[in-house]
Amino acid sequence: MELKGAVLLMCVLAVSANSTVDKEATDNIAAVETVNPTSVVSTVDSVSTEASVTLDNVTSNQSPSMSVVSKQRENKLYNLIVARKFDEAVENTISLYGAGWSNIIKQVIERLCDEGNSIVFDYSYKISISKAPYIARSCFPMAIRIHERMVFAKLINKRDGYALTYNNHVDFDGDRRVLGDPNTESRMDIGWWFVPHWTGDRLYYQMRPLRMAMFLKLGNSRDGDGDHTAYVSDDYSTNRHLWTIQPVKHNGELLFYIINREFDKLLKFGLSPVYDGYRIAYGHSTKDLNPHKFSWYIKTA
């Protein structure tokens, strides 16, 4: 009897234990099933969003590339120049050069030349008379530094290949007619000084031959074609004696228009040789920006 009682007690305990385990398992399964599926997705989305925000912050906080910084600095200098804020442009140029960014200065110069902007000469002049003239010598082409005291140039017409010179004979007004010389070899009578003349907020040039203190001008009257004849004269006090120079890129070459301030006319040579093969120089009747016909090489020495 005692043995049977013990066996019966063990069976009862085993059934009770199994019942408890099944209940715990059932309760655990129920607990899992009662979790809101949406809250699980929400938790995952929250982690994903946090990761995304962190990545965006890292990206936005990264330093810009050197090419981006270079372009920003180029645009800043360019904008100062074209706004004619030359004091600020000069200081910015000095800072760039001192920091080793001379390539940016050269890129701005190239950009102004590509655009045919005569302000590149104003910029060059302002750099030359600043506390850092060495920057002009380092960064600017010689043809844009013609205002410098020791620089003189030959002007050779693109279309004709003739050099600008003048007649040895004086007319009744004391002037000499300006001519085109087919001989472009290095000779004193085809060399010119470019005397800078800053007026208002821009640069003009008075152009004088090396041999004498006379200055290039256009005559007052027009001929039958509407052109003004070019002369050199002792006087240099009128707008007819002032000239601007405008760069132009043509077939990969850097060329220049020479434009009279008074009449806004382009310097040119006539088509027909006269005076023993020389051609007469004129201010063209219209401002026709045709580089093949009216542009010039500036050959410096």
Side-chain angles (χ1 to χ4, degrees):
M1 287 295 293
E2 291 180 359
L3 179 60
K4 289 182 179 180
V7 171
L8 179 61
L9 177 61
M10 290 178 63
C11 290
V12 170
L13 290 174
V15 170
S16 176
N18 288 339
S19 174
T20 301
V21 170
D22 290 343
K23 184 177 185 304
E24 288 178 355
T26 303
D27 289 344
N28 288 339
I29 293 171
V32 171
E33 289 178 346
T34 57
V35 173
N36 189 341
T38 305
S39 66
V40 174
V41 174
S42 175
T43 303
V44 173
D45 285 348
S46 176
V47 173
S48 175
T49 302
E50 183 179 355
S52 176
V53 170
T54 303
L55 180 60
D56 290 343
N57 288 340
V58 170
T59 303
S60 64
N61 290 333
Q62 286 179 344
S63 299
S65 67
M66 291 300 290
S67 61
V68 171
V69 172
S70 177
K71 192 63 179 179
Q72 289 172 343
R73 295 182 179 182
E74 176 190 327
N75 287 338
K76 178 181 178 180
L77 177 58
Y78 173 87
N79 290 333
L80 288 172
I81 295 167
V82 297
R84 310 195 79 84
K85 296 179 179 179
F86 290 114
D87 290 343
E88 294 178 59
V90 167
E91 290 301 321
N92 187 258
T93 301
I94 292 171
S95 296
L96 288 171
Y97 190 86
W101 291 86
S102 61
N103 62 307
I104 291 178
I105 302 169
K106 294 176 182 178
Q107 286 166 2
V108 170
I109 294 167
E110 185 76 14
R111 184 171 168 182
L112 293 169
C113 289
D114 288 342
E115 295 172 352
N117 198 331
S118 62
I119 203 171
V120 69
F121 286 92
D122 304 53
Y123 175 43
S124 173
Y125 175 74
K126 285 295 188 178
I127 294 294
S128 292
I129 65 172
S130 74
K131 59 188 177 183
Y134 53 87
I135 297 177
R137 294 191 294 271
S138 174
C139 296
F140 287 82
M142 280 286 289
I144 300 176
R145 293 166 40 212
I146 51 176
H147 57 270
E148 294 182 2
R149 187 179 300 276
M150 300 307 294
V151 177
F152 69 91
K154 296 185 293 184
L155 299 176
I156 301 173
N157 184 262
K158 167 67 176 175
R159 181 192 63 191
D160 308 304
Y162 281 45
L164 195 72
T165 188
Y166 50 89
N167 200 327
N168 289 325
H169 303 293
V170 178
D171 65 17
F172 59 87
D173 290 323
D175 298 338
R176 299 171 187 259
R177 182 164 283 184
V178 176
L179 304 171
D181 190 341
N183 185 351
T184 61
E185 296 302 316
S186 179
R187 295 188 299 127
M188 288 293 290
D189 53 6
I190 61 171
W192 296 78
W193 297 110
F194 287 76
V195 182
H197 185 80
W198 188 269
T199 179
D201 65 346
R202 64 194 61 233
L203 181 68
Y204 297 94
Y205 293 98
Q206 294 164 335
M207 298 166 52
R208 55 158 291 185
L210 293 181
R211 287 190 182 275
M212 61 188 71
M214 301 184 81
F215 298 85
L216 180 67
K217 71 173 185 179
L218 291 184
N220 273 315
S221 60
R222 299 183 183 185
D223 62 18
D225 295 322
D227 296 338
H228 293 262
T229 304
Y231 302 91
V232 289
S233 68
D234 294 328
D235 187 21
Y236 55 87
S237 61
T238 74
N239 286 339
R240 293 185 292 126
H241 294 84
L242 294 178
W243 303 82
T244 57
I245 302 177
Q246 180 177 329
V248 56
K249 288 289 189 71
H250 181 61
N251 293 334
E253 294 182 302
L254 180 59
L255 303 165
F256 303 90
Y257 298 120
I258 302 170
I259 306 168
N260 187 258
R261 182 184 183 187
E262 176 71 16
F263 301 114
D264 200 28
K265 300 294 178 62
L266 297 162
L267 188 66
K268 71 169 186 178
F269 290 136
L271 290 174
S272 302
V274 295
Y275 297 120
D276 299 325
Y278 291 86
R279 299 188 182 197
I280 299 175
Y282 299 94
H284 188 57
S285 57
T286 61
K287 193 175 179 181
D288 180 8
L289 297 178
N290 183 325
H292 177 70
K293 292 182 180 179
F294 302 119
S295 66
W296 299 76
Y297 296 101
I298 297 180
K299 303 292 187 181
T300 56

